Amino acid sequence: MPQARLFERLGLRTAADFATHLPLRYEDETRITPIGDARPGVHALFEGEIADSEIRFGPRRTLQATLTDDSGRLGLRWLHVYPGQQARLHAGRRIRARGEVRAGFHGLEIVHPLVTEPDKPLPDTLTPVYPTTQGLSQSALRKAIARSLDEADLGDTLPSAVREAYGLADFEPSLRLLHNPGPDISLDSLARHSHPAWRRIKFDELLAQQLALADARAARRAQSARSLRGDGGLTGRLLAGLPFAPTGAQSRAAAQIGEDLARTHPMHRLLQGDVGSGKTLVAALAAAQAIEAGAQVAVMAPTEILAEQLWRKLSDWLGPLGVAPVWLAGGLPAAERRQALRAMASGEARLAVGTQALIQDKVEFESLGLVISDEQHRFGVGQRLALNLKGDRARFRPHQLSMSATPIPRTLAMAFFADMDVSVLDELPPGRVPVRTRLFDDRRRDEVLARVGEVVRAGRQAYWVCPLVEESEALQLQTAVDTHELLCAALPDLRIGLMHGRLPAREKSAVMDAFRAGDTDLLVATTVIEVGVDVPNAGLMVIEHAERFGLAQLHQLRGRVGRGGGEATCVLLYQPPLSAIARERLRAMYETTDGFEIARRDLAQRGPGELLGLRQSGQALLRFADLDSDEDLLEQAREAAAWLSAEFPEHARAHRQRWMAGADQYLRS
Ligand SMILES: Nc1ncnc2c1ncn2[C@@H]1O[C@H](COP(=O)(O)OP(=O)(O)OP(=O)(O)O)[C@@H](O)[C@H]1O
């Protein structure tokens, strides 16, 4: 593959890209370590004389040599032997050998050391090791980067006032230092990214991101939306008809959204609430206000189960008030579907609920004013909203409300959602008792089965979540079917349902309906029930092989119980032995039911990509800064972004250009 393509793969196009491609780590070749100082795990350069070398014949041929100096002896071993190699390593020859020392069978050794000529002058800087891709050597990268340091404009994009205010090192010296650190610089401060030069680079990275988000926000402000003020009629009747009063948090969020909707630029708000905090009501109030003001509303969810549940709730609440939502789903008969589409296009229908794909692709609206999407962030931050807007679409953009049940830790929200406004439901409806979590070794399964029986006899229902089989969907399905059979045999008196992703839509609804109506006692399910499923009578959740699930996922699953008042228990069945990470996860589940605390621990364990559901995208969200340890820098970068935009717009532009030329794809539309 041509070198340019390999560079491209690393995202390296402009001189600035190369100049800011920074080392992953460094190797110290500036000095020679006495062999007597060799320790397992240490990467070092040694120089000495070959004392002996021989080819050993075992299952495969290996070359074994001994390097000596005044201080000791070190084994060198090659697992592949090339012709002439032994001759070059004859006894008495002086060489240098570099590599990682390990404790071998016959003492300390290096496997596959890098051998170089002795007596050459040593470099006087640490040797950088860059992130690379297959087929691209370190030396090619080093050369290209060295060239870019001559070619790129390395002028400081931060005015001196800003540098001084935050105690930041200058850009060019920092960059040069990180590419070629002198031997006096502590490897530790480089490795831990705590050196002032790293601090400057991390600050720049965070600042670029903040500037991009601020720009996105400003661009949205420049767009027009219809002001949806409403007269309070429909919202008032909705509230009056509820069997409960909204929580303080629900009222606050609804008021914030209400104000946004009345504005003439599009709302872009994230509604965050822990499991069971009542986001649906807030969505319903927003929809009611928009409808009241004469607009149409689209509500989208990522899965049919979720969409159907939203549809059901909105139908219950708004149907009696004359606003029956239109349902748009894959399995709909053609005639009904056509009718629904016609009703949306003509404006006769005011509210549509469905899966994201359906609403985005097929539907035309007469006057769409508000789009509500549930859990959209799980499907990629960069997902664009492609709605067919009829009528006044040319001039007006719809308001947007996103809902998320994954509490997003503050740093993460600051780093990735700074272009959105955020409302948080930080209060659960009254009467909720925290779910009790119990851990059971899989060998105590019988006790757990007995427990399911007890719960059902007491008039409650239960979920049984099948083990996760990530490798194969077919295997996952088989596991679900097997688990269902085993449970039917073990608990013959119970009415047991089965729910998995491969069931046809119609059957999924039938299974869910039966459980909701109390016609089944136990629902065996895969993670399709992970988010949003709301059956208040469910009082027990068993999760099999809990050690295979991620923390956020366990928290979501657990959130399916304890939603209607009354006691609820979550049993995490695990298969020992547990890995250290799995043990940490299960401990976190046992110790807390607070979604924010769980999210914080999840962030620390797995990083932001995973938490935001971006694992598949393979996109590095931040290359240098770490949200866990660089919170203070993030805070400063945010402040500096506002300062730069207001007083130094030219600097702000140059800064973005350097760090993000063409790399804005993660920004939302
Ligand atoms: N203020 C309230 N008082 C009592 N019950 C409420 C209140 N608000 C909502 N509920 C009920 O609480 C349950 C959870 O609400 P909802 O399904 O909206 O939660 P959610 O925030 O979507 O949670 P999840 O993300 O776990 O699905 C529902 O049964 C809902 O009817």
Side-chain angles (χ1 to χ4, degrees):
M1 190 180 289
Q3 212 172 47
R5 287 271 298 283
L6 294 170
F7 286 143
E8 187 100 2
R9 243 200 230 162
L10 294 172
L12 304 177
R13 290 173 203 95
T14 64
D17 292 341
F18 281 92
T20 55
H21 191 68
L22 290 166
L24 271 181
R25 59 187 174 83
Y26 301 88
E27 278 167 9
D28 188 354
E29 294 178 340
T30 59
R31 52 198 183 87
I32 288 170
T33 305
I35 291 177
D37 290 352
R39 296 286 173 269
V42 169
H43 201 108
L45 176 67
F46 303 94
E47 185 172 317
E49 202 177 285
I50 301 280
D52 54 58
S53 71
E54 61 169 334
I55 290 186
R56 295 207 177 141
F57 298 90
R60 64 143 74 112
R61 283 173 0 127
T62 63
L63 174 60
Q64 178 78 43
T66 309
L67 186 71
T68 56
D69 68 5
D70 298 343
S71 65
R73 303 165 68 81
L74 181 66
L76 304 178
R77 192 146 63 94
W78 286 265
L79 303 176
H80 318 281
V81 189
Y82 303 104
Q85 198 174 8
Q86 190 193 8
R88 282 202 297 278
L89 292 168
H90 59 83
R93 185 169 166 217
R94 282 190 74 73
I95 58 161
R96 280 186 189 152
R98 180 161 65 83
E100 187 179 320
V101 178
R102 43 175 257 174
F105 200 60
H106 304 287
L108 294 181
E109 64 173 4
I110 300 179
V111 178
H112 288 263
L114 197 76
V115 173
T116 48
E117 293 299 318
D119 309 321
K120 277 212 305 210
L122 292 167
D124 52 9
T125 58
L126 298 174
T127 309
V129 180
Y130 292 101
T132 186
T133 182
Q134 200 174 6
L136 187 61
S137 70
Q138 284 294 325
S139 67
L141 253 175
R142 274 179 211 148
K143 254 187 235 141
I145 289 170
R147 207 173 327 118
S148 78
L149 287 176
D150 295 332
E151 288 168 5
D153 171 10
L154 301 180
D156 214 308
T157 49
L158 299 186
S160 53
V162 174
R163 271 175 281 155
E164 270 161 37
Y166 299 108
L168 294 167
D170 291 348
F171 178 70
E172 182 169 349
S174 298
L175 199 68
R176 290 195 183 277
L177 181 145
L178 292 178
H179 284 297
N180 295 302
D184 51 326
I185 294 185
S186 125
L187 257 179
D188 187 52
S189 74
L190 292 176
R192 294 190 314 141
H193 286 198
S194 62
H195 190 280
W198 266 127
R199 219 179 101 80
R200 167 65 202 256
I201 297 301
K202 291 192 293 186
F203 182 90
D204 277 18
E205 176 181 45
L206 291 166
L207 175 65
Q209 192 183 31
Q210 291 296 312
L211 285 170
L213 290 168
D215 279 7
R217 182 189 276 264
R220 207 151 24 233
R221 285 270 151 83
Q223 293 173 344
S224 302
R226 278 206 298 150
S227 159
L228 305 174
R229 202 171 284 282
D231 58 8
L234 188 58
T235 41
R237 280 185 290 147
L238 168 58
L239 285 170
L242 289 175
F244 48 73
T247 62
Q250 284 171 321
S251 302
R252 265 194 308 281
Q256 288 167 340
I257 294 167
E259 277 174 32
D260 285 0
L261 288 176
R263 298 213 169 95
T264 52
H265 55 256
M267 163 172 82
H268 203 62
R269 187 173 280 276
L270 177 68
L271 175 64
Q272 270 194 59
D274 204 348
V275 289
S277 57
K279 292 182 287 294
T280 319
L281 175 61
V282 179
L285 285 166
Q289 176 174 335
I291 292 167
E292 216 167 79
Q296 286 176 297
V297 177
V299 179
M300 325 193 284
T303 67
E304 282 205 32
I305 297 183
L306 264 184
E308 189 176 334
Q309 194 150 279
L310 281 168
W311 179 80
R312 191 182 302 273
K313 279 246 164 82
L314 294 172
S315 298
D316 284 355
W317 286 336
L318 293 169
L321 308 178
V323 190
V326 166
W327 170 241
L328 279 168
L332 216 55
E336 282 180 41
R337 191 175 153 69
R338 261 200 310 278
Q339 197 184 351
L341 292 177
R342 215 174 305 125
M344 295 313 298
S346 71
E348 177 199 333
R350 309 313 294 168
L351 177 60
V353 183
T355 53
Q356 261 140 351
L358 277 165
I359 290 193
Q360 288 185 359
D361 296 347
K362 311 275 165 49
V363 190
E364 300 214 328
F365 293 89
E366 185 240 351
S367 58
L368 183 67
L370 170 64
V371 177
I372 301 176
S373 40
D374 200 9
E375 298 295 337
Q376 193 189 8
H377 73 283
R378 285 179 171 248
F379 296 83
V381 177
Q383 195 180 53
R384 305 253 152 191
L385 203 60
L387 289 158
N388 292 313
L389 307 177
K390 249 180 112 181
D392 47 14
R393 70 181 146 176
R395 234 158 48 78
F396 295 126
R397 303 284 308 160
H399 296 278
Q400 287 184 51
L401 177 67
S402 310
M403 301 198 282
S404 163
T406 307
I408 300 171
R410 210 177 74 88
T411 48
L412 203 57
M414 258 196 311
F416 297 107
F417 296 91
D419 62 327
M420 300 175 96
D421 295 301
V422 179
S423 297
V424 180
L425 296 183
D426 51 5
E427 182 185 348
L428 293 178
R432 298 272 172 87
V433 187
V435 180
R436 260 192 313 155
T437 300
R438 313 214 27 208
L439 303 177
F440 276 83
D441 184 322
D442 195 53
R443 283 168 293 208
R444 293 171 62 195
R445 223 180 147 77
D446 287 349
E447 288 173 51
V448 176
L449 288 171
R451 185 66 178 267
V452 174
E454 273 166 38
V455 164
V456 169
R457 272 191 295 283
R460 304 289 297 274
Q461 290 160 281
Y463 295 98
W464 189 290
V465 177
C466 306
L468 187 66
V469 189
E470 270 195 331
E471 301 78 39
S472 139
E473 207 186 326
L475 219 58
Q476 173 76 71
L477 180 62
Q478 190 56 47
T479 310
V481 172
D482 293 349
T483 310
H484 179 247
E485 252 175 43
L486 284 172
L487 287 170
C488 285
L491 299 162
D493 305 339
L494 266 50
R495 298 165 299 172
I496 306 182
L498 172 62
M499 170 71 103
H500 58 73
R502 279 299 187 83
L503 283 182
R506 207 175 284 271
E507 274 183 55
K508 270 190 204 143
S509 342
V511 171
M512 235 22 250
D513 281 347
F515 191 62
R516 202 174 285 113
D519 295 339
T520 30
D521 306 307
L522 175 64
L523 184 60
V524 178
T526 59
T527 50
V528 287
I529 58 151
E530 181 181 337
V531 280
V533 171
D534 182 41
V535 178
N537 189 44
L540 173 68
M541 157 140 314
V542 180
I543 304 177
E544 247 193 284
H545 274 290
E547 75 281 358
R548 294 187 191 167
F549 293 86
L551 199 43
Q553 208 171 17
L554 288 172
H555 179 65
Q556 282 300 328
L557 284 168
R558 178 171 63 183
R560 299 310 109 211
V561 293
R563 298 171 75 87
E567 289 209 340
T569 307
C570 174
V571 172
L572 303 177
L573 260 178
Y574 65 88
Q575 184 96 57
L578 290 177
S579 68
I581 285 197
R583 181 166 313 132
E584 258 323 291
R585 279 204 295 264
L586 298 185
R587 186 207 307 269
M589 286 297 291
Y590 177 74
E591 283 175 356
T592 179
T593 53
D594 174 356
F596 277 90
E597 175 60 20
I598 297 231
R600 209 187 50 69
R601 296 196 194 186
D602 208 22
L603 178 64
Q605 267 197 5
R606 297 191 300 172
E610 196 85 18
L611 198 62
L612 294 176
L614 296 180
R615 184 167 47 153
Q616 276 84 6
S617 80
Q619 190 180 324
L621 297 173
L622 283 171
R623 290 187 288 157
F624 310 122
D626 177 298
L627 291 180
D628 213 28
S629 52
D630 294 325
E631 191 172 346
D632 57 329
L633 269 186
L634 175 58
E635 198 85 63
Q636 293 172 353
R638 183 163 74 145
E639 208 179 86
W643 185 6
L644 234 58
S645 304
E647 290 184 33
F648 305 100
E650 279 309 314
H651 288 79
R653 195 164 314 129
H655 191 83
R656 273 200 60 178
Q657 183 64 28
R658 169 175 292 160
W659 285 96
M660 308 201 108
D664 284 356
Q665 65 276 41
Y666 72 88
L667 291 174
R668 288 160 287 264
S669 63

